[in-house]
Amino acid sequence: MNSKPASTPVQPPVSSRRDPLLLALIAFVLGIVLAGAWFHRHHAGSSTAELSTVTKDVLGRLEMPVTVRYYSLLPAGSADGSLQAFAGRVTQLLDAMQVASNGKVEITHLENPAGTNSTAASTDGIQAFNLDKGEPCFLGLAITSGKSRETFARLQPDWEPALQYDLVRAISRVAAGNTAKPVPAAKPSPEIIDSVKNLIPDVNAVTAQQADQILHDEFM
């Protein structure tokens, strides 16, 4: 009796065995790439603005404190998303400047459109806009140090590339204006004092008007 040879198991093609492993590897790598992209976008959006070396240097050398009131009063019905995003980037810029100044620049954020903020914005010279769309919008800066003051009446997205540099110059001017000291009156020379004494030996014996007339006659 002839016995049939045992059948050899059919091996699947090599490519078919590798497909699941290859797909799993691709999915793993793709997951890492997507996670990295999400992480980058998330942290880029939450990081503070990048300041130039010049800006950091100027802010680090401020001698007088400066207060910046940032009015970002943007009612939802009057301000679109792009303007809201721009206002958020301005917030990041101001916060970075406060850190770079070692606390010499104090930022006050006024972001609630309700209450007295709109009145305060108008008082500080901030310009209202988008009145045709509903509640007025205010987006501007009031920069003060002592009696020295500058105002950015309305910030606009087109200004963004130059805003950092215009702002640091304004902060520097305001701080410098507060440190300005009155120039003392120049003292007359000893020769002039001797000449006056020769003309008016007794200053208590004449009035100011008479003394002025004597000096005038001498000059003439």
Side-chain angles (χ1 to χ4, degrees):
M1 182 175 180
N2 296 329
S3 60
K4 295 182 178 180
S7 60
T8 302
V10 178
Q11 298 293 329
V14 174
S15 60
S16 64
R17 295 201 309 268
R18 290 180 178 177
D19 284 347
L21 179 61
L22 181 60
L23 291 176
L25 180 61
I26 292 174
F28 177 75
V29 173
L30 183 59
I32 293 177
V33 172
L34 292 177
W38 176 89
F39 182 87
H40 174 75
R41 287 198 302 268
H42 175 74
H43 283 269
S46 61
S47 63
T48 56
E50 183 67 26
L51 300 181
S52 71
T53 302
V54 174
T55 296
K56 293 177 181 178
D57 182 59
V58 171
L59 294 174
R61 291 187 291 106
L62 289 176
E63 295 183 2
M64 300 299 294
V66 175
T67 298
V68 178
R69 287 189 293 278
Y70 176 39
Y71 291 94
S72 178
L73 312 180
L74 303 172
S78 303
D80 59 22
S82 62
L83 188 60
Q84 299 276 4
F86 168 61
R89 294 192 296 273
V90 175
T91 296
Q92 292 182 356
L93 173 63
L94 293 172
D95 289 343
M97 286 185 157
Q98 180 171 268
V99 173
S101 71
N102 298 317
K104 282 293 179 63
V105 177
E106 180 182 353
I107 310 297
T108 301
H109 296 274
L110 301 165
E111 300 177 348
N112 184 6
T116 60
N117 286 341
S118 296
T119 302
S122 297
T123 302
D124 266 338
I126 309 302
Q127 178 185 347
F129 62 97
N130 282 358
L131 300 177
D132 57 327
K133 296 182 179 180
E135 297 181 59
C137 294
F138 295 89
L139 187 62
L141 302 165
I143 308 166
T144 59
S145 180
K147 294 183 179 180
S148 186
R149 170 191 180 91
E150 289 198 21
T151 301
F152 289 11
R154 180 180 174 184
L155 302 178
Q156 301 187 54
D158 292 344
W159 191 357
E160 188 169 4
L163 180 58
Q164 177 183 154
Y165 307 99
D166 290 343
L167 181 53
V168 75
R169 282 195 293 266
I171 290 174
S172 180
R173 287 193 300 267
V174 168
N178 191 27
T179 59
K181 298 179 181 179
V183 179
K187 294 182 179 180
S189 65
E191 292 79 7
I192 294 177
I193 295 175
D194 291 339
S195 298
V196 172
K197 287 182 177 179
N198 290 332
L199 292 172
I200 311 172
D202 187 2
V203 294
N204 295 322
V206 296
T207 64
Q209 184 176 2
Q210 290 171 333
D212 180 69
Q213 186 63 46
I214 293 172
L215 296 175
H216 177 268
D217 293 343
E218 177 65 18
F219 175 78
M220 295 301 295

